[in-house]
Amino acid sequence: MPKLLALTGSPSGNSRTAVVADHVVRRLSHSGFETSHLAVRELPAADLLSARRGEPEIRRALEAVAEADGLIIATPVYKASYTGLLKAFLDLLPQDGLAGKTVLPLVTGGSLAHVLTIDYALRPVLAALGARHVTAGRFVLDSSVERGAGPDRLRPEAELDLFQAVDEFADALHASLAGRASIAAGAAGEAASAAGSAGVSALTSAP
């Protein structure tokens, strides 16, 4: 079962970004993915800011990223970019920390003036970390997250648009995993063929 990790970079304990990420996680879990959600704000601040990769909670977080086949990386807009909290965590990853992974970028904000944050701030750092495929992300307005007496929810039009991006991300991930499996099978076949040829050669050359 493919593993997916939602990584959220909001410093707020009442985060709209987390609400959006949880919507994505629920939809993907219903589609047969193994999902989990890591809120960077819950990691020990001193360890995170001091880049103590060996500390237990930081190490487990980095391992979760390494083990995931795909990631949802979500952040609110801060100063026309992603949050410093998310930046602090991404800085702990190795240079190729997202190699081979499919990534869905999500950004939340109060105004459509920040919609380009995905392509001009978040997407470049994901590519720099070696992501195999950064799919078309989504910008979700803060006003699209409705809060009341019941569970937080998204406005129907925002949810529909978000789920379109999620489905495209799932299709891209399935295609990526199928391609990797095909390459692995081809390599195994070539190795077996080479081993067989070597065995025949050894027999025919024996005295």
Side-chain angles (χ1 to χ4, degrees), residues 7 27 35 42 47 61 70 79 82 91 105 136 171-172 175 203 206:
L7 184 68
R27 184 169 181 85
T35 60
E42 296 177 357
D47 294 338
K79 307 299 183 186
Y82 51 90
D91 282 347
D171 289 343
L203 287 174

Side-chain angles (χ1 to χ4, degrees), residues 31-46:
S31 300
F33 292 96
E34 180 181 338
T35 60
S36 58
H37 182 177
L38 171 63
V40 178
R41 66 177 296 275
E42 296 177 357
L43 296 174

Side-chain angles (χ1 to χ4, degrees), residues 8-177:
T8 52
S10 174
S12 172
N14 191 27
S15 169
R16 291 180 176 86
T17 304
V19 173
V20 172
D22 284 338
H23 268 67
V24 172
V25 166
R26 282 196 295 272
R27 184 169 181 85
L28 290 168
S29 65
H30 292 158
S31 300
F33 292 96
E34 180 181 338
T35 60
S36 58
H37 182 177
L38 171 63
V40 178
R41 66 177 296 275
E42 296 177 357
L43 296 174
D47 294 338
L48 178 66
L49 296 177
S50 300
R52 296 171 184 158
R53 295 176 177 84
E55 292 300 314
E57 290 189 57
I58 300 295
R59 185 180 69 250
R60 285 193 293 270
L62 295 175
E63 288 171 351
V65 172
E67 293 169 2
D69 298 300
L71 288 103
I72 301 97
I73 297 185
T75 178
V77 175
Y78 274 36
K79 307 299 183 186
S81 186
Y82 51 90
T83 63
L85 185 64
L86 179 60
K87 170 66 171 170
F89 182 78
L90 294 178
D91 282 347
L92 298 182
L93 298 176
Q95 186 61 43
D96 59 350
L98 299 182
K101 302 184 188 301
T102 302
V103 182
L104 170 63
L106 300 174
V107 172
T108 61
S111 166
L112 288 175
H114 300 299
V115 71
L116 294 179
T117 300
I118 292 177
D119 290 329
Y120 288 94
L122 189 53
R123 186 180 297 275
V125 73
L126 301 178
L129 287 167
R132 179 186 181 91
H133 185 187
V134 182
T135 63
R138 285 298 187 276
F139 180 89
V140 180
L141 283 168
D142 290 343
S143 59
S144 295
V145 179
E146 298 181 331
R147 289 180 157 155
D152 295 336
R153 62 178 188 172
L154 294 179
R155 288 183 177 177
E157 63 276 13
E159 185 176 67
L160 183 64
D161 185 53
L162 177 65
F163 285 170
Q164 180 181 348
V166 171
D167 292 344
E168 291 170 356
F169 165 74
D171 289 343
L173 179 57
H174 280 307
S176 175
L177 293 175

